[in-house]
């Protein structure tokens, strides 16, 4: 490693605790923006990106270490107390240790003694003080971590205040999509680092400026060494801009592209046939393949497919050509712009999705079914009479064979007709992990509080986070709303542990909840009674319940059950 002295890098001042005037040590491949300040014994590794407006002062606590390929974003402050040290991965003592491939994002504060491991993400305006964040952790926005050790691979939600070890130990695990997001941030900032270094190098920037003049049509790209290269192919200009944008975004995320076609009969039965394989990941080649597929099947429906090859699943289905659409161009219809959601409703013919004879009930069902299908899950039905409903003892209803909007709506309507005096709910099942991801009541027997013809006024997915309460407890002495009791009963029936959290008006606005204790009881009714007692004691605070899957050790639901009267 080479010592680099810059105008914005200075030695530590002489102090009673340190008179060695230690200077920053900066690897030659790192980039330090000239508006940032680096003072004292700060050891910056290879390919580190230090953005504008950053203060890293090892003038009190020292030394600091920042590992390879880590990015420190705008407005970050890193400082340390004169006393207190952590042990770095090299077994030496540090005031602040930040590992490899880690993102410290805008306005965060890392104050030593502090340790942040490899492959971590520290969100906007979050603070780590006198604590340790293990490898692979994701810390979201406005978080306080103090006097604790976060185990490796944990997810800290926005606004959390983690100041006791039992809070840290209860945190849920990071999901694969969170890891992918953190890795994407690292790759983006490494590209920025290379770009900033190129901008400071006349030999690097001159060819790029020349390429801009040469490629006035926009047909140029860059190779792995950031050198310009002229593209020799051009995609069909008849492709709508939405299609080009979809393809570009999918390729940028590392997905593969495909296409499928169907005539009118096959379209109505959702029996699609694949077009010739798109083996290239080059944007122009893919667009040319797509244009050829559209031309070859000009009298048919054609849809664009985005494929995640690692997870072996589709991430996008978007119809780009409809032969029967009179408003569409001769060969193309503007594509739906949605990028990362498999929109299975697009596979249903318009005549079936919104039939001309649709009733208000059909519209209500469509509003319920479409969000379930958009999650990519299989829909099933359950039913319960009034007694079973109160104890959350549901029974499976008729099996739904179809997974199209029209087919599911028909199945639900038939089920309501067969069991008019029972509660009926739709279940969204993730077939990949074989578990439920949401539940929604679609029918209540006559005499229940309903909207329209038997449909629940609102019903949030049971696993949704920060779901709005279905009603507000009018006073701490009143019984909870029936929807809240139903939710608690379902969670208890699933074997979840129920915890409480509290927030004052100020903390509620910043989503900074205070953790309470577990609510125990032999039955759902006992837990409800205990929660009513807690509400009476906390009538000036917001109260919410947190359902925890004890086997997976992660939160699966949060629900506000009481709001203080204004």
């Amino acid at each position: 490693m080479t010592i680099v002295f810059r105008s914005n890098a200075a030695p530590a001042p002489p102090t009673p605790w340190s008179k060695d005037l230690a200077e920053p040590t900066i690897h030659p491949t790192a980039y330090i923006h000239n508006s940032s300040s680096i003072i004292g014994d700060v050891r910056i590794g290879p390919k580190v990106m230090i953005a504008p407006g950053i203060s890293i002062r090892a003038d009190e606590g020292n030394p600091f270490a920042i590992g390879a390929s880590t990015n420190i974003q705008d407005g970050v402050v890193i400082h340390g107390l004169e006393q207190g040290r952590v042990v770095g991965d090299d077994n030496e003592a540090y005031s602040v240790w930040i590992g490899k491939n880690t993102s410290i994002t805008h306005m965060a504060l890392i104050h030593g003694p502090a340790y942040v491991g490899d492959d971590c993400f520290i969100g906007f305006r979050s603070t780590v003080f006198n604590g340790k964040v293990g490898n692979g952790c994701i810390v979201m926005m406005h978080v306080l971590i103090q006097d604790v050790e976060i185990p490796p691979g944990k997810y800290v939600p926005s606004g959390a205040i983690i100041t006791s070890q039992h809070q840290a130990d209860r945190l849920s695990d990071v999901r694969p999509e969170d890891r992918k997001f953190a890795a994407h941030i690292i790759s983006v900032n490494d590209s920025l680092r290379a770009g900033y270094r190129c901008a400071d190098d006349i030999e690097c920037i001159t060819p790029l400026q020349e390429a801009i003049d040469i490629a006035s049509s926009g047909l140029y790209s860059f190779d792995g060494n950031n050198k310009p290269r002229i593209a020799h192919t051009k995609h069909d200009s008849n492709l709508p801009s939405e299609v080009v944008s979809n393809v570009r975004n999918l390729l940028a995320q590392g997905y593969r592209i495909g296409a499928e076609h169907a005539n009118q009969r096959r379209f109505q039965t959702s029996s699609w046939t694949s077009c010739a394989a798109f083996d290239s990941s080059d944007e122009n080649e893919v667009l040319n393949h797509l244009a050829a597929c559209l031309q070859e099947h000009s009298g048919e429906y054609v849809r664009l497919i985005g494929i995640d090859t690692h997870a072996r699943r589709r991430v996008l289905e978007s119809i780009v050509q409809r032969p029967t659409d009179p408003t569409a161009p001769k060969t193309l219809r503007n594509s739906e712009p949605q990028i990362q959601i498999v929109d299975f409703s697009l596979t249903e013919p318009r005549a079936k999705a919104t039939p001309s004879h649709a009733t208000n009930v059909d519209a209500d069902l469509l509003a319920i079914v479409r969000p379930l299908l958009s999650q990519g899950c299989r829909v099933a039905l359950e039913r319960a009479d009034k007694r079973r409903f109160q104890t959350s003892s549901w029974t499976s209803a008729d099996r739904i064979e179809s997974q199209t909007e029209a087919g599911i709506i028909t199945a639900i309507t038939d089920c309501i007709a067969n069991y008019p005096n029972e509660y009926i709910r739709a279940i969204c099942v993730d077939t990949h992990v074989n578990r439920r991801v949401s539940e929604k009541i679609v029918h209540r027997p006559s005499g229940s509080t309903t909207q329209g013809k038997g449909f629940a006024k609102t019903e949030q997915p049971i696993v949704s986070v920060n779901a709005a309460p279905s009603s507000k407890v009018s006073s701490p002495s009143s019984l909870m709303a029936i929807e809240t009791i139903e939710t608690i009963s379902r969670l208890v029936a699933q074997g979840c542990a129920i915890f409480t959290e509290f927030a004052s008006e100020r903390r509620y606005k910043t989503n900074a909840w205070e953790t309470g204790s577990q609510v125990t009881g032999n039955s759902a009714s006992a837990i409800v009674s205990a929660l009513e007692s807690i509400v009476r004691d906390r009538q000036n605070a917001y109260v919410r319940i947190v359902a925890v899957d004890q086997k997976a050790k992660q939160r699966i639901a949060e629900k506000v059950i009481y709001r203080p009267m204004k």
Side-chain angles (χ1 to χ4, degrees):
M1 189 174 288
T2 305
I3 294 178
V4 178
F5 190 79
R6 306 167 187 261
S7 59
N8 57 334
T15 59
W17 56 86
S18 178
K19 295 182 172 59
D20 58 5
L21 307 180
E23 296 181 357
T25 304
I26 303 172
H27 194 277
T29 60
Y31 175 79
I32 314 294
H33 194 274
N34 58 16
S35 68
S36 292
S37 177
I38 317 292
I39 298 174
D41 190 358
V42 181
R43 305 167 189 180
I44 297 177
K47 298 185 178 180
V48 169
M49 166 72 176
I50 305 293
I54 291 170
S55 175
I56 304 177
R57 291 196 296 118
D59 52 3
E60 184 178 346
N62 67 83
F64 297 172
I66 301 175
S69 299
T70 283
N71 63 90
I72 312 295
Q73 300 180 14
D74 312 62
V76 168
V77 173
I78 303 177
H79 196 244
L81 296 177
E82 186 267 327
Q83 298 292 332
R85 296 292 183 270
V86 296
V87 178
D89 292 351
D90 58 2
N91 293 320
E92 295 185 16
Y94 291 86
S95 177
V96 174
W97 173 278
I98 299 174
K100 303 184 295 294
N101 302 311
T102 285
S103 295
I104 311 295
T105 66
H106 312 288
M107 307 297 289
L109 169 62
I110 310 297
H111 204 290
Y115 175 101
V116 179
D118 300 342
D119 305 303
C120 289
F121 177 91
I122 307 297
F124 312 146
R125 294 184 180 274
S126 290
T127 298
V128 179
F129 169 60
N130 193 32
K132 179 175 181 178
V133 179
N135 294 341
C137 286
I138 304 293
V139 178
M140 298 306 289
M141 283 66 78
H142 294 267
V143 170
L144 171 62
I145 296 173
Q146 179 178 342
D147 305 325
V148 297
E149 179 176 339
I150 307 296
K154 293 297 181 180
Y155 177 90
V156 185
S158 294
I161 299 176
I162 312 296
T163 56
S164 63
Q165 194 57 43
H166 81 276
Q167 289 177 293
D169 294 338
R170 284 172 44 200
L171 292 168
S172 62
D173 292 335
V174 170
R175 300 169 298 180
E177 54 264 39
D178 298 323
R179 298 185 191 277
K180 186 174 182 180
F181 165 74
H184 175 67
I185 297 299
I186 290 294
S187 65
V188 166
N189 277 272
D190 188 59
S191 297
L192 286 171
R193 176 195 62 83
Y196 277 118
R197 288 177 60 86
C198 178
D200 290 343
D201 184 351
I202 191 65
E203 293 184 0
C204 178
I205 200 66
T206 297
L208 299 180
Q209 293 173 332
E210 294 174 349
I212 292 173
D213 296 333
I214 295 172
S216 57
S217 63
L219 295 177
Y220 74 96
S221 57
F222 301 93
D223 61 21
N225 298 317
N226 279 330
K227 301 300 182 182
R229 62 186 179 194
I230 304 301
H232 298 291
T233 60
K234 183 177 181 179
H235 64 76
D236 191 332
S237 60
N238 289 328
L239 288 173
S241 60
E242 293 90 345
V243 176
V244 176
S245 177
N246 278 3
V247 169
R248 182 173 294 130
N249 288 331
L250 289 167
L251 290 174
Q253 297 175 70
Y255 297 133
R256 302 289 290 184
I257 306 296
E260 294 178 334
H261 64 94
N263 58 26
Q264 185 68 34
R265 181 179 63 82
R266 287 184 174 273
F267 178 74
Q268 291 176 346
T269 59
S270 194
S271 301
W272 295 80
T273 303
S274 297
C275 295
F278 295 7
D279 295 327
S280 175
S281 59
D282 179 81
E283 177 185 319
N284 293 316
E285 292 183 11
V286 168
L287 291 171
N288 285 334
H289 280 303
L290 180 59
C293 179
L294 292 167
Q295 184 175 3
E296 181 181 355
H297 304 286
S298 58
E300 300 183 24
Y301 293 85
V302 177
R303 67 181 179 186
L304 176 70
I305 307 296
I307 304 168
D308 183 342
T309 55
H310 297 291
R312 295 184 180 180
R313 66 182 180 91
R314 299 185 177 197
V315 296
L316 172 73
E317 292 177 357
S318 179
I319 295 179
V320 297
Q321 177 173 283
R322 294 175 182 264
T324 58
D325 188 348
T327 64
K330 184 174 181 180
T331 59
L332 291 173
R333 175 184 181 272
N334 285 348
S335 167
E336 291 77 357
Q338 194 171 13
I339 297 301
Q340 290 188 337
I341 298 177
V342 179
D343 190 351
F344 288 100
S345 65
L346 297 180
T347 67
E348 185 67 23
R350 289 183 175 181
K352 287 191 176 183
T354 54
S356 59
H357 62 276
T359 65
N360 290 335
V361 173
D362 293 329
D364 290 338
L365 279 175
L366 185 61
I368 291 171
V369 169
R370 182 164 288 173
L372 297 178
L373 286 176
S374 70
Q375 299 177 58
C377 60
R378 184 173 185 84
V379 178
L381 294 177
E382 291 183 337
R383 59 186 178 87
D385 58 24
K386 186 174 182 180
R387 181 179 63 82
R388 287 182 174 275
F389 177 76
Q390 291 176 341
T391 59
S392 195
S393 302
W394 294 80
T395 303
S396 296
D398 303 332
R399 178 180 175 84
I400 300 179
E401 300 296 340
S402 173
Q403 286 301 304
T404 63
E405 280 182 7
I408 291 172
I409 289 173
T410 299
I412 294 175
T413 304
D414 291 344
C415 187
I416 292 173
N418 293 334
Y419 306 101
N421 297 320
E422 298 189 21
Y423 294 83
I424 297 172
R425 69 180 180 186
I427 309 297
C428 180
V429 180
D430 186 336
T431 56
H432 296 292
V433 295
N434 197 26
R435 68 178 178 87
R436 302 180 181 207
V437 295
S438 66
E439 301 170 355
K440 207 172 190 70
I441 293 178
V442 297
H443 174 71
R444 297 171 183 267
S446 59
S448 299
T449 302
T450 59
Q451 178 190 24
K453 300 184 179 181
F455 294 97
K457 184 176 182 181
T458 57
E459 196 74 27
Q460 295 294 336
I462 198 166
V463 297
S464 66
V465 177
N466 291 329
S470 55
S471 64
K472 183 171 70 177
V473 179
S474 59
S475 71
S477 61
S478 66
L479 293 176
M480 293 182 185
I482 184 64
E483 291 87 352
T484 300
I485 296 174
E486 293 169 5
T487 298
I488 295 170
S489 298
R490 287 195 296 268
L491 294 171
V492 172
Q494 294 175 33
C496 299
I498 306 298
F499 292 82
T500 53
E501 292 185 336
F502 313 99
S504 63
E505 185 71 30
R506 180 179 63 83
R507 286 182 176 271
Y508 178 76
K509 291 179 180 179
T510 59
N511 199 27
W513 292 81
E514 173 189 354
T515 301
S517 58
Q518 182 177 356
V519 183
T520 57
N522 296 326
S523 64
S525 60
I527 291 176
V528 169
S529 297
L531 286 170
E532 289 177 340
S533 177
I534 291 171
V535 167
R536 293 188 186 98
D537 293 338
R538 293 276 191 157
Q539 55 186 292
N540 294 323
Y542 291 81
V543 181
R544 75 177 177 187
I545 57 171
V546 177
V548 177
D549 184 333
Q550 294 179 301
K551 293 182 180 179
K553 294 183 178 180
Q554 65 180 15
R555 299 185 177 205
I556 63 169
E558 298 174 354
K559 184 177 181 67
V560 177
I561 63 171
Y562 176 70
R563 299 168 183 265
M565 299 297 293
K566 302 295 184 184

